Structures are given as structure tokens and as C-alpha cells.
């Protein structure tokens, strides 16, 4: 294999393309938060991962807006209010999820903009998305920042204090990928369906997945 090699001290956009073209398919967290006037904010984040099972911790990364150099509404709301909901994406709602990534003025409700239905959470203030088949209610834990410049990343972690799973995809403690129909993010405008699964036997003693 002939490899091409690149330094990473150039433009934000060049590094960004290496990240989104290499780290994929990326799961998508659709994060709902409360604006300071109590209205809803929703935005998708594909720089998103699981961090810890007990305590149950997840992390996602908002970047400083490359267009304005300003912090996004989601981290502003979480740092102020301390709670958020992660709503998961299945094939049925991809268009609406894409719509809620619109850069609306602060305070404008992306639930309404995207045609998504807000429902009350059990523990946290931010609403859940009724059309999302899995929702995690989260309490804000940690904030890390990698700078103020356009494209600089942040890490937000949250402890999941309540999990909601649609009964159609829940079977004896497991979530069915086939029923969930999750969609991930690729490079550019690509989104990725999980319809071509392969199974491999685990090679370790503790097979907690089984
Ligand atoms: C599928 C998808 C994934 C995205 N992932 C990220 C991400 O990981 N980090 C980020 O900063 N922006 C991401 N964006 C862009 C944000 O959703 C967008 O900037 C949004 O306007 C932020 O909203 P907010 O200001 O209400 O937080 C993504 C957009 C889409 C459609």
C-alpha cells in the first residue's frame, strides 16, 4: 500500500475532512436542551461516544462554529442549565434530524422547525423527542475545551440517569439493531444505514454482549 502523509498544522477544514472521512460510521446524538427562556433547543452531534457503563457516561463534542467563531447553543445551554437529553436516530427520522441542524437564531425552537414532537422527561428539564426510539436523560458532568478558534472542539460528558427504549425494539435486556434501524453519519452529505450486518464470535472470556 502506498501511503500519503499529511501534517495537521494547516487549515481547520483539512483536518476536519480527515476526521469525518476516517471516523465512520459515526453515531449521532440528537441533543435537546433548554434555552434560558425555557424554550427548546435541539441539534445533532456525530462526534459522540459511550465512555463508561457504571456510572453510565456518554460524551459528545460541539465545535466552535467555523462560520462565526462563536460557541454553539447546545454547550451554552448545558453549562447554564446542567441537563440534556440524547435522542437516537433511526431511518424514519433522518430528514427531521437533518432539519434540526439548521443554524436558527438563539431561542428559536428546532422541534417546531423540524416537525418533531417534544415530550416531558422523567428527571431532567429538557424534552425528549417522541419520534426517537431511544432517549437518554443526562445530567451534565464534565466540560473540556480545546480553544476559542473556529473548529476548536469541546467535550461534554453527561451521566445517563434514565433510559427510554421503544418496546418494539427491546427484548430481554437487549436492543434489536434490526428493529432500531440506526443511521450513522459519514463524510460530506453521507448518512449510513446499518442494514448489512456481519457476525463474528467474541474471542474473550467475559462475553458481556451475549
Ligand atoms: C448529522 C449531523 C451531525 C453533526 N455533528 C456535529 C458535531 O459532532 N459537532 C458539531 O459541532 N456540530 C455538528 N453538527 C452541526 C450542528 O448540528 C449545528 O452546528 C447546529 O446548528 C448546532 O446547533 P446549536 O447551536 O443549537 O447547538 C452536525 C450536524 C449534522 C446534521
Amino acid at each position: 500500500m502506498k501511503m500519503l502523509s499529511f501534517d495537521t498544522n494547516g487549515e481547520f477544514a483539512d483536518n476536519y475532512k480527515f476526521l469525518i472521512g476516517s471516523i465512520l460510521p459515526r453515531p449521532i446524538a440528537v441533543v435537546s436542551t433548554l434555552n434560558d427562556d425555557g424554550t427548546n433547543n435541539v441539534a445533532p452531534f456525530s462526534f459522540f461516544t459511550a465512555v463508561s457503563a457504571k456510572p453510565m457516561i456518554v460524551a459528545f463534542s460541539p465545535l466552535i462554529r467555523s462560520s462565526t467563531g462563536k460557541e454553539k447553543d447546545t454547550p451554552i445551554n448545558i453549562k447554564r442549565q446542567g441537563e440534556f437529553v440524547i435522542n437516537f436516530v433511526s431511518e424514519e427520522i433522518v430528514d427531521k434530524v437533518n432539519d434540526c441542524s439548521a443554524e436558527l437564531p438563539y431561542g428559536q425552537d428546532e422541534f417546531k422547525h423540524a416537525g418533531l414532537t417534544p415530550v416531558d422527561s422523567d428527571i431532567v428539564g429538557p424534552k425528549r423527542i417522541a419520534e426517537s426510539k431511544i432517549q437518554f436523560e443526562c445530567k451534565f458532568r464534565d466540560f473540556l475545551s480545546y480553544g476559542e478558534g473556529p473548529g476548536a472542539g469541546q467535550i461534554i460528558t453527561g451521566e445517563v440517569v434514565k433510559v427510554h427504549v421503544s418496546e418494539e425494539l427491546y427484548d430481554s435486556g437487549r436492543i434489536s439493531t434490526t428493529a432500531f434501524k440506526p443511521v450513522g453519519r459519514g463524510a460530506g452529505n453521507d448518512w449510513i444505514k446499518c442494514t448489512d450486518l456481519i457476525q463474528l464470535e467474541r474471542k474473550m472470556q467475559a462475553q458481556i454482549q451475549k
Side-chain angles (χ1 to χ4, degrees):
M1 223 183 313
K2 181 174 178 337
M3 302 301 283
L4 305 172
S5 305
F6 302 88
D7 293 323
T8 58
N9 50 8
E11 294 295 314
F12 143 78
D14 296 331
N15 292 351
Y16 183 73
K17 284 178 207 157
F18 286 127
L19 291 171
I20 64 169
S22 310
I23 303 173
L24 50 81
R26 292 186 305 286
I28 302 166
V30 185
V31 181
S32 40
T33 55
L34 289 176
N35 295 317
D36 57 7
D37 61 0
T39 56
N40 299 312
N41 186 80
V42 192
F45 293 88
S46 70
F47 288 22
F48 166 51
T49 193
V51 177
S52 168
K54 189 169 172 67
M56 187 171 172
I57 307 283
V58 291
F60 72 96
S61 297
L63 309 186
I64 299 294
R65 276 190 206 287
S66 54
S67 52
T68 60
K70 299 238 170 74
E71 192 173 28
K72 296 193 177 179
D73 298 341
T74 300
I76 292 172
N77 286 344
I78 292 172
K79 284 186 280 179
R80 188 195 66 257
Q81 195 266 336
E83 298 171 335
F84 57 99
V85 176
I86 290 186
N87 304 273
F88 288 78
V89 183
S90 50
E91 290 174 26
E92 296 87 344
I93 60 168
V94 279
D95 288 329
K96 291 180 174 184
V97 168
N98 195 33
D99 285 349
C100 64
S101 70
E103 294 190 12
L104 302 181
Y106 187 84
Q108 204 163 317
D109 189 334
E110 281 100 354
F111 274 100
K112 286 190 192 136
H113 176 76
L116 294 164
T117 313
V119 284
D120 283 344
S121 298
D122 285 1
I123 297 176
V124 303
K127 308 279 186 200
R128 297 178 284 136
I129 295 175
E131 292 81 359
S132 170
K133 294 179 188 172
I134 306 174
Q135 306 130 2
F136 289 177
E137 295 187 31
C138 302
K139 296 263 190 190
F140 174 44
R141 284 284 292 251
D142 309 288
F143 179 78
L144 273 176
S145 163
Y146 294 97
E148 308 296 321
Q154 304 169 321
I155 293 180
I156 289 181
T157 70
E159 178 163 359
V160 182
V161 292
K162 191 93 172 194
V163 173
H164 304 268
V165 184
S166 163
E167 63 180 3
E168 85 196 39
L169 48 99
Y170 186 77
D171 182 18
S172 314
R174 284 193 228 168
I175 292 172
S176 157
T177 309
T178 319
F180 178 14
K181 298 198 183 83
V183 177
R185 192 74 204 274
N189 288 332
D190 293 344
W191 297 62
I192 300 166
K193 292 184 189 176
C194 301
T195 46
D196 200 6
L197 305 177
I198 57 171
Q199 261 94 38
L200 297 176
E201 282 293 315
R202 291 280 292 267
K203 305 287 186 199
M204 51 194 274
Q205 295 281 320
Q207 300 203 348
I208 55 170
Q209 308 286 3
K210 284 203 154 187

